[in-house]
Amino acid sequence: MTTQYSNPSTGQQSRGATGNVLSIIAIVLGVISLLFFPIVFGVVALVLAVIAKFVRHERLATVALVVSAAGLVGGMILGAVVASA
């Protein structure tokens, strides 16, 4: 019996939800960078999003780029506001 995820000619499983792994990690790190160490988490998120966009051509890569850039900039601004208060 074959499932919808198996490839009967090779017996290998299809990629399924693994196609957006770097994008999802970049989105999570971008959100984390709003509050914790934006210069570290934001930069790592941006690098992962760029790799997801231009090397792996993932569907969520554009969202990851936007979220990671917003997290980096927003986290730095929020840190400057909190530090000056």
Side-chain angles (χ1 to χ4, degrees):
M1 176 177 202
T2 61
T3 63
Q4 78 182 60
Y5 297 111
S6 65
N7 187 351
S9 64
T10 62
Q12 295 178 349
Q13 297 290 327
S14 66
R15 289 178 57 174
T18 62
N20 290 315
V21 172
L22 287 181
S23 297
I24 292 171
I25 293 171
I27 290 169
V28 170
L29 287 177
V31 171
I32 290 173
S33 72
L34 277 170
L35 298 175
F36 304 108
F37 304 114
I39 197 71
V40 175
F41 289 118
V43 170
V44 171
L46 270 176
V47 169
L48 288 177
V50 167
I51 291 171
K53 177 80 172 170
F54 296 109
V55 176
R56 294 182 51 146
H57 306 290
E58 295 181 5
R59 288 178 26 185
L60 293 175
T62 305
V63 175
L65 276 169
V66 170
V67 170
S68 60
L72 177 64
V73 173
M76 293 177 79
I77 291 171
L78 184 64
V81 167
V82 170
S84 67

